[in-house]
Amino acid sequence: MGNIYRLETPLKEEDVVKLRIGDKVLLSGIVYTARDAAHKRLIDLIEKNESLPIGLEGQVIYYVGPSPAPPGRPIGAAGPTTSYRMDPYAPTLIAHGIRGMIGKGKRSKEVVEAMVKHKAVYFGATGGAGALISQSIREAGIIAYEDLGPEAIWRFKVVDLPVIVVNDTMGNDLYEQGKERFRI
Amino acid sequence: MKDIHCQEIISTVKRLFIEANTELGQDMLDAFKSALAKEESPVGQDILNQLMENARLAKETKVPICQDTGLAVVFVELGQDVHVVGGGLKDAIEEGVRQGYREGYLRKSACHPFTRKNTGDNTPAVIYIDVVPGEQVKIIAVPKGGGSENMSRIYMLSPAMGIKGVKEKVLETVREAGPNPCPPTIIGVGIGGTFEQAALQAKKALLRPVGEPNPDPEIDRLEREWLEEINRLGIGPQGLGGRITSLSVHIHILPCHIASLPVAINVQCHANRHKVAVL
């Protein structure tokens, strides 16, 4: 495993350029959730030059559709969903300022190139560790697109959310390089 | 003849889905432990430790193991001497799913394929009913997540491709899926039958507890061999590189048409959830 960093959102360029694949990051601050349906709406607004429900500069987007909050908790299970469904939209959001994405699974060439060009990173959270990740989420509220149900945009206040750098700003890919290392 | 009231079916289905989503079976907990002992990648070890901690937390806090609490798949073995009273069996199962997903704070993931409008209560359930001898009803609740289901495949091979061809398809499926289906996975393989039977056999194969050998020694040998080959791919826990890509391969075989060699590969994530009740 690489280095361990504690980072606060919003992320600055200098926060992300030092990261390398395999580094573990404990993220704190605000992250916004969005899945495919919410991405589509954000991109439609950008194309029409209209204002967005969230500012994008330095933000981290978490690909998750949480389960409902049981009584006494801010949110239910909240692990990552598979990221490729967001690939058609991600380069535009990266070009408009986001510095990080949290999900699971491979990204397209276009997304990796956008990360290199605009200095952003892709973090992997542990898929299926929904109850564990839920512990890092201290506050949660829907801020847009409530009609999308589990696909609405949530604002999470997180403390030490554990993620691993999968794609860094140098174009490296932990899925490719990790697999090569252990292939027999 | 035994009467079983539909109310009992409703409450059982409801309980099974809540339990399945919050309590991982002992077979999976044991499989994580032995995977951790074999995993050489530090990142992979970290992931496996997270999965064990996640299972503990889910049971303790009743927050689901995974936010994708699945489509509600239900296998029913209905004794032919059972008389369901007070309402319809399928209606009772749907109502149990409805109540379980609402009262257990489980995510509703069923939607229209094109409009994507959510049905709001996670129905319709995916129900398979087998009629068997006796006067019992066995209900198996299987919440099936979308991430691993999306990486599942079906092929109609040419008979000449044989065992080697089937194995190639299994390896190809796992290789191409990479990190997407949340490894370490369980691989259900349905071989033979008709097109739809192969897929159903693949899903049923996943129900066997992990670590329990296939009753057929020849198939058991195949399962072990294919698992070993899968774990040479290097994909590892969460696809971040490592020795443990899959925990188990489960094969079901059926006779097929003389012109066919169907093979279905149903990928199951590590949140391998199912609960059983017998009424």
Side-chain angles (χ1 to χ4, degrees), chain A residues 65 79 104 126-127 131-132 182, chain B residues 50 54 65 67 107 180 243 270:
Chain A
K104 65 166 175 98
T126 301
L132 179 70
F182 287 93
Chain B
Q50 286 186 33
N54 184 59
I65 296 159
Q67 71 291 337
R107 198 182 78 183
N180 292 356
R243 293 279 166 250
H270 59 73

Side-chain angles (χ1 to χ4, degrees), chain A residues 25-28 31 62 78 102 125 133 136-137 158-163:
Chain A
V25 175
L26 298 169
L27 266 185
S28 296
V31 301
Y62 184 14
I102 308 170
I133 291 171
S136 304
I137 301 166
V158 300
V159 176
D160 289 342
L161 177 74
V163 293

Side-chain angles (χ1 to χ4, degrees), chain A residues 153-168:
Chain A
I153 295 185
W154 291 70
R155 182 179 186 270
F156 285 172
K157 186 175 178 203
V158 300
V159 176
D160 289 342
L161 177 74
V163 293
I164 287 175
V165 180
V166 172
N167 293 108
D168 58 27

Side-chain angles (χ1 to χ4, degrees), chain B:
Chain B
M1 206 68 178
K2 181 165 109 178
D3 284 358
I4 293 182
H5 199 277
C6 68
Q7 202 53 50
E8 198 182 345
I9 290 166
I10 294 173
S11 60
T12 302
V13 169
K14 167 179 144 184
R15 174 176 64 82
L16 290 179
F17 274 104
I18 294 175
E19 283 180 10
N21 274 299
T22 51
E23 295 176 24
L24 205 56
Q26 190 59 43
D27 62 329
M28 288 303 297
L29 301 177
D30 292 344
F32 288 157
K33 212 185 270 179
S34 60
L36 184 61
K38 289 181 211 149
E39 184 51 75
E40 294 165 22
S41 149
V43 176
Q45 290 168 358
D46 186 41
I47 300 290
L48 290 165
N49 277 316
Q50 286 186 33
L51 298 185
M52 289 193 273
E53 176 65 3
N54 184 59
R56 189 189 66 76
L57 277 167
K59 191 172 175 184
E60 185 187 296
T61 63
K62 300 295 168 209
V63 169
I65 296 159
C66 178
Q67 71 291 337
D68 185 352
T69 52
L71 283 187
V73 180
V74 184
F75 289 99
V76 181
E77 289 173 23
L78 175 67
Q80 64 189 15
D81 298 324
V82 170
H83 182 204
V84 177
V85 296
L89 173 61
K90 282 198 170 176
D91 290 345
I93 293 169
E94 299 283 9
E95 183 57 23
V97 167
R98 211 169 276 130
Q99 291 185 10
Y101 276 74
R102 187 175 62 230
E103 293 172 32
Y105 300 94
L106 307 179
R107 198 182 78 183
K108 291 80 182 167
S109 307
C111 74
H112 186 281
F114 292 143
T115 67
R116 311 308 291 177
K117 187 175 161 46
N118 200 296
T119 65
D121 58 9
N122 220 44
T123 66
V126 182
I127 305 170
Y128 299 103
I129 300 174
D130 267 343
V131 178
V132 298
E135 51 178 30
Q136 288 185 328
V137 181
K138 184 176 180 182
I139 302 174
I140 310 173
V142 188
K144 185 65 172 84
S148 56
E149 199 75 352
N150 282 343
M151 296 296 119
S152 300
R153 299 285 180 265
I154 186 159
Y155 301 94
M156 302 303 281
L157 301 183
S158 161
M161 294 172 84
I163 289 187
K164 193 160 168 278
V166 172
K167 183 175 79 179
E168 255 323 297
K169 287 299 176 198
V170 171
L171 289 173
E172 182 186 299
T173 300
V174 176
R175 195 186 303 121
E176 285 180 0
N180 292 356
C182 281
T185 50
I186 320 292
I187 307 298
V189 189
I191 304 168
T194 51
F195 179 78
E196 82 287 1
Q197 234 182 347
L200 186 54
Q201 291 305 311
K203 185 157 258 94
K204 278 189 174 172
L206 293 171
L207 298 176
R208 198 175 88 219
V210 172
E212 190 181 296
N214 193 302
D216 179 333
E218 234 352 80
I219 307 298
D220 188 61
R221 192 185 58 75
L222 274 189
E223 289 182 353
R224 287 167 197 278
E225 183 193 310
W226 294 4
L227 177 64
E228 205 185 304
E229 294 212 27
I230 286 171
N231 285 335
R232 292 162 81 94
L233 295 173
I235 295 166
Q238 289 295 310
L240 299 168
R243 293 279 166 250
I244 309 294
T245 301
S246 292
L247 299 166
S248 200
V249 174
H250 294 178
I251 303 174
H252 268 202
I253 289 193
L254 279 179
C256 57
H257 192 279
I258 50 174
S260 304
L261 176 50
V263 54
I265 300 128
N266 198 191
V267 182
Q268 170 64 54
C269 63
H270 59 73
N272 179 25
R273 299 157 287 187
H274 35 83
K275 287 285 169 200
V276 185
V278 179
L279 304 177

